[in-house]
Amino acid sequence: MSIAACLFTPSPPSFSPPPSITPKLPATFPLHLRLRLSSSSSVSTLHHTRPSPFLASSAGGDGGDINSNDNNSGGGGGGNDDNGKHGGGGDENAGDKNRKETMIVLAEAGRSMESLPKDLAAAIQAGKIPGSVIERFLGLEKSGLMRWLMQFGGFKERLLADDLFLAKVAMECGVGIFTKTAAEYERRRENFFKELEIVFADVVMAIIADFMLVYLPAPTVSLRPPLAVSAGAISKFFYSCPDNAFQVALPGTSYSLLQRLGAVMRNGAKLFAVGTISSLVGTAITNALINARKAVDKSAADEVENVPILSTSVAYGVYMAVSSNLRYQVLAGVIEQRILEPLLHQHKLVLSALCFAVRTGNTFLGSLLWVDYARLVGIQKAHEEDSAQHR
C-alpha cells in the first residue's frame, strides 16, 4: 500500500518561464517625436505664477532674494543640492529658470535675441535676468523718450529696475528749489533776506546735486560685462557691489554684507566729488553776485561778506557723502523698493503720489540738516553773530 501511495502521490506541476521575446525594429524604421508647447497657455500660467523680482518680502542677509520657494533657487546658490553637495547649483537652476522665462516672453512678443541690445541679450544668455525684466523693457521701449534714454547704459539699468525712476528724478529736481528755499526761510526767518546770498548759494548747490542724489543710489539691474582678468582686487570688489546697499537682489544673485557696505563707500566717494564740484560752482556764482552788489551799494560792503569757496565746497562734499548718501540709500532701497513697491505695485498713481510725498519730506529734512551742519562747522554764521562781530 505504501508503494502504491507513493506511486499515486501527485507532484506539483513545474512551470518554465516563457522565452523572452525582444522586439526587433528594422534599422531603417523611422521614429519621429514631436513636442508641442502651447505658448498662450504657458505664458498665461507664467504671468499668474511669477512674481515680480523687485518685490521683496524680507530684508535678509542675502538681500531679500525672492522667487526662491524651491530649494534650488536660493540666494547665491550656496545651499545643498539633491546629492548633498555644496556649490553653485542654486545659481545654475535659477539661471536656467530665468532663461526659460525670458524665451517665453520674447516668443509671445514676437521678438528675437538679435533685436535686443547686446548687453541685454548677453544678460539673458547668462541667465542673469528674469522674464519680468524683459517685459518691462518691452513696455518702456514703446515710449520714444524711454527708448532714447535706454541707449545710455546707466539709465537703462535704472529704468529696468524701476519704471518710475524718471518720474522720481523730475520730482526731486522739481520740488528741490521750493523745499530748499522753504527750509532756508524756516531756519533764518527774519534774517532770510539779509542772508539772501547764502540762501541762493545753498539752493544752487542743491539743485545741481539733486539729480545725482537720485541717480547714484538708485537700484539697478546690472547689465555690465565682467571686468578684465588683469583688474585689481579692489576694482573687482567695488565692481561687484550693488548700486544701492539695500536693493533687492534678482533671482540667482546675492550680495554679501561686505558688498553692501562697499556700495555705501563707493557712492559716498562719488557724492563727495559731486558735492564738492557743485559747491564750487554755487559759491563762485554767489561771490560774483556779492561783489556786484557791493559795487552798486557801497553800504553793503561791511554788511555782506564773500562766501569761503574752498571750505564751503569741502564741507558740502562731506555732507553729501555722509548725510545725503545714507538718506537716499535708505529712501530708494528700503522705503520705496522694499515697502511701498510691494504694497502698491499695481497702483502706480498712488505709488507715485507717496513717493512724491516721501521725497519732498526728505529734501526738506536735508535742507534743515545742511543749515545746522554749516553753522556747526563754522562755514556759515547767523546774521546776529556777524552783526555782533562788526560792532
Side-chain angles (χ1 to χ4, degrees):
M1 293 295 293
S2 61
I3 296 175
C6 292
L7 294 174
F8 288 94
T9 300
S11 58
S14 60
F15 297 95
S16 59
S20 59
I21 301 175
T22 303
K24 296 182 179 180
L25 297 177
T28 58
F29 183 78
L31 181 61
H32 298 281
L33 296 179
R34 292 186 179 180
L35 178 62
R36 293 185 178 181
L37 176 62
S38 175
S39 61
S40 59
S41 61
S42 300
V43 174
S44 61
T45 304
L46 178 63
H47 288 174
H48 287 288
T49 59
R50 185 181 71 246
S52 170
F54 305 100
L55 305 185
S57 57
S58 64
D62 61 350
D65 294 353
I66 63 171
N67 289 355
S68 56
N69 295 331
D70 52 47
N71 296 329
N72 294 327
S73 59
N80 298 339
D81 57 17
D82 294 337
N83 299 325
K85 298 179 180 179
H86 297 273
D91 282 344
E92 294 176 1
N93 291 333
D96 292 339
K97 182 180 178 182
N98 288 342
R99 277 189 290 270
K100 291 176 183 178
E101 289 183 1
T102 53
M103 289 298 105
I104 292 176
V105 173
L106 288 175
E108 183 189 28
R111 297 286 296 272
S112 63
M113 293 279 287
E114 291 73 16
S115 66
L116 300 177
K118 293 182 179 179
D119 54 355
L120 193 61
I124 293 175
Q125 293 175 349
K128 293 170 56 177
I129 56 177
S132 57
V133 173
I134 302 302
E135 290 177 345
R136 178 166 290 174
F137 172 80
L138 296 176
L140 291 170
E141 208 178 27
K142 296 177 182 178
S143 168
L145 176 61
M146 297 297 183
R147 185 167 57 251
W148 178 75
L149 286 175
M150 285 194 295
Q151 294 178 354
F152 307 97
F155 275 99
K156 185 188 332 183
E157 291 183 339
R158 285 159 176 80
L159 287 170
L160 291 180
D162 183 7
D163 52 359
L164 293 179
F165 169 72
L166 196 61
K168 293 173 183 177
V169 172
M171 293 176 195
E172 197 76 31
C173 296
V175 304
I177 187 171
F178 300 105
T179 56
K180 284 171 170 48
T181 303
E184 294 285 343
Y185 181 78
E186 177 69 20
R187 283 294 190 218
R188 304 178 192 278
R189 291 291 183 178
E190 64 275 3
N191 297 322
F192 179 80
F193 292 101
K194 297 178 181 178
E195 301 174 353
L196 196 59
E197 292 82 5
I198 299 177
V199 172
F200 182 80
D202 290 346
V203 174
V204 169
M205 288 186 293
I207 296 304
I208 294 175
D210 271 344
F211 171 78
M212 300 305 295
L213 282 172
V214 182
Y215 183 87
L216 290 178
T220 60
V221 172
S222 179
L223 302 176
R224 295 170 294 182
L227 277 179
V229 180
S230 59
I234 297 178
S235 300
K236 290 181 179 178
F237 168 73
F238 283 109
Y239 191 81
S240 66
C241 295
D243 286 282
N244 186 286
F246 306 99
Q247 76 175 60
V248 179
L250 292 173
T253 305
S254 64
Y255 300 110
S256 66
L257 178 60
L258 190 60
Q259 286 175 315
R260 294 186 181 275
L261 292 176
V264 176
M265 296 173 59
R266 183 183 61 187
N267 277 351
K270 292 180 180 179
L271 288 174
F272 174 79
V274 170
T276 302
I277 294 173
S278 64
S279 179
L280 285 172
V281 175
T283 51
I285 295 175
T286 300
N287 285 344
L289 293 175
I290 290 176
N291 292 331
R293 178 180 173 184
K294 289 179 179 179
V296 174
D297 186 5
K298 300 297 183 181
S299 62
D302 296 333
E303 187 176 341
V304 182
E305 295 182 355
N306 287 348
V307 179
I309 295 180
L310 184 59
S311 59
T312 300
S313 301
V314 174
Y316 192 64
V318 172
Y319 172 79
M320 285 192 64
V322 179
S323 175
S324 300
N325 182 26
L326 294 177
R327 283 188 291 106
Y328 277 87
Q329 294 251 11
V330 172
L331 173 62
V334 178
I335 298 176
E336 291 180 341
Q337 192 180 46
R338 292 184 177 271
I339 298 177
L340 296 181
E341 173 69 17
L343 294 175
L344 302 170
H345 64 280
Q346 294 181 345
H347 308 281
K348 293 296 184 182
L349 186 60
V350 179
L351 178 60
S352 300
L354 284 178
C355 289
F356 176 82
V358 172
R359 285 185 172 273
T360 300
N362 178 64
T363 303
F364 184 75
L365 174 63
S367 298
L368 298 179
L369 293 175
W370 162 248
V371 174
D372 291 338
Y373 167 76
R375 288 178 175 173
L376 179 65
V377 299
I379 59 174
Q380 290 185 9
K381 298 179 181 179
H383 190 264
E384 292 87 350
E385 296 177 2
D386 280 342
S387 299
Q389 291 178 0
H390 287 306
R391 288 174 184 172

